[in-house]
Amino acid sequence: ILAGMILYDMQYAEKIISEYMQFVEDPDLPRELTVHMYSVPSPSDGKKYVSLLVSYVGPPEEGYHLLHPLIHSAPCVVNQIAPKTYVQHQNSSNDMYSVKGVPTYWKSRNITMGAKIPPKLVVESIEASSDYSILVLEHYGGKVLELSSDATAYYHRDCAVIMSFTGYGYHDEKERSELMEWISKSTSMFEPYYNGTSYMNYDCGSALESFAGNLPRLREIKSIYDPDNIFRCNTNIAPLEDIQYPTRCGDDEIEKINSETN
């Protein structure tokens, strides 16, 4: 496959973001091609960058041809896009995600199909972020959009991009508070462009937000396999006969459950 990251200086961020949004919403984009956009803080020099993480599951020469208009729309700082195996690409972020005990916090929203997010607004959010904050625009289209809303548990098949605000590795309460404030403000900034839903794995919202019209069917299944609602933390799908449990349990209940099972 052809995969890797390409890094751009912030002076080109508006251009890259604009080109990216047009690129991923192209209905003729091959299903084999996926591109995510990340803001990248650099601890070494304190600067922020914008990066594209690409993957083309096909002949590398075809991937280069398809990506050329996007990745060459501005001069880059680093270009790590190269032919490699899928496993090599999949393992490229292991060092970050395999570290245990690193605190994280994030929010995520699905973007309305065709929404025109102002690139300048995205840049404003990135520039206000800290050294442990990342803004992500995740390419979500392709095969996902070809399935009907009731084909799987996940209901929402009507967006091309997921927007996430993440933070990790903060060291104290001050940094944590700064991070949460940035995430809260940034999430609110883009409210007009959301479709009112979120992906459960990224944002622990209500079951209705994640499953919508599929929730009644999921509650029927829950009533068969977990009628006592034992598995109820994070986003909870309550059994049909149970209307007392909250949509998610708080830290106190999680601690209580952990103490009972240890």
Side-chain angles (χ1 to χ4, degrees):
I1 71 170
L2 181 72
M5 182 190 73
I6 185 166
L7 200 68
Y8 301 91
D9 193 274
M10 279 299 294
Q11 66 178 306
Y12 303 112
E14 277 194 52
K15 174 68 171 174
I16 292 298
I17 293 165
S18 176
E19 295 289 336
Y20 170 79
M21 292 300 293
Q22 294 180 54
F23 188 82
V24 297
E25 290 201 342
D26 181 353
D28 296 323
L29 199 67
R31 297 296 185 248
E32 294 83 2
L33 180 59
T34 302
V35 185
H36 296 346
M37 193 223 77
Y38 294 80
S39 65
V40 180
S42 173
S44 60
D45 58 15
K47 294 180 64 177
K48 296 182 177 71
Y49 299 89
V50 169
S51 72
L52 299 176
L53 185 66
V54 312
S55 172
Y56 180 69
V57 185
E61 60 275 13
E62 290 182 6
Y64 279 123
H65 176 73
L66 290 164
L67 287 164
H68 189 275
L70 174 63
I71 64 177
H72 292 290
S73 57
C76 69
V77 178
V78 176
N79 186 348
Q80 298 178 339
I81 299 173
K84 60 188 69 176
T85 67
Y86 184 85
V87 172
Q88 286 174 326
H89 180 55
Q90 189 179 43
N91 291 339
S92 61
S93 57
N94 276 5
D95 289 344
M96 176 187 295
Y97 293 111
S98 62
V99 178
K100 295 183 178 180
V102 176
T104 61
Y105 183 79
W106 61 6
K107 286 189 176 183
S108 180
R109 298 290 186 270
N110 294 342
I111 301 297
T112 301
M113 184 75 78
K116 305 300 181 185
I117 299 177
K120 188 174 183 179
L121 198 61
V122 180
V123 172
E124 182 181 332
S125 175
I126 294 172
E127 290 180 336
S129 65
S130 66
D131 291 342
Y132 34 84
S133 306
I134 299 175
L135 185 152
V136 184
L137 293 172
E138 186 172 17
H139 183 196
Y140 176 78
K143 188 67 176 180
V144 172
L145 305 187
E146 294 179 4
L147 299 180
S148 64
S149 59
D150 62 354
T152 70
Y154 189 69
Y155 184 86
H156 307 291
R157 308 283 174 177
D158 55 355
C159 79
V161 175
I162 295 176
M163 190 174 208
S164 299
F165 307 93
T166 74
Y168 66 96
Y170 46 87
H171 302 94
D172 52 41
E173 184 58 33
K174 180 177 180 294
E175 291 183 350
R176 177 178 178 273
S177 297
E178 290 174 351
L179 169 66
M180 292 181 71
E181 182 179 4
W182 172 76
I183 290 177
S184 179
K185 286 184 176 179
S186 292
T187 305
S188 298
M189 283 170 61
F190 298 93
E191 192 68 41
Y193 308 101
Y194 305 145
N195 68 3
T197 66
S198 62
Y199 180 41
M200 184 183 66
N201 191 52
Y202 290 170
D203 190 79
C204 202
S206 71
L208 186 59
E209 288 175 342
S210 289
F211 304 116
N214 292 333
L215 186 57
R217 186 156 52 108
L218 291 167
R219 293 189 67 191
E220 290 178 7
I221 296 171
K222 182 68 174 281
S223 298
I224 297 171
Y225 293 99
D226 184 21
D228 296 324
N229 206 25
I230 294 174
F231 298 101
R232 62 183 180 274
C233 290
N234 299 320
T235 299
N236 179 45
I237 299 172
L240 284 175
E241 64 273 15
D242 181 5
I243 59 172
Q244 301 301 316
Y245 285 103
T247 56
R248 56 187 293 190
C249 59
D251 293 340
D252 292 343
E253 187 174 0
I254 293 174
E255 186 174 337
K256 180 176 181 294
I257 292 170
N258 287 339
S259 66
E260 291 173 350
T261 55
N262 288 337

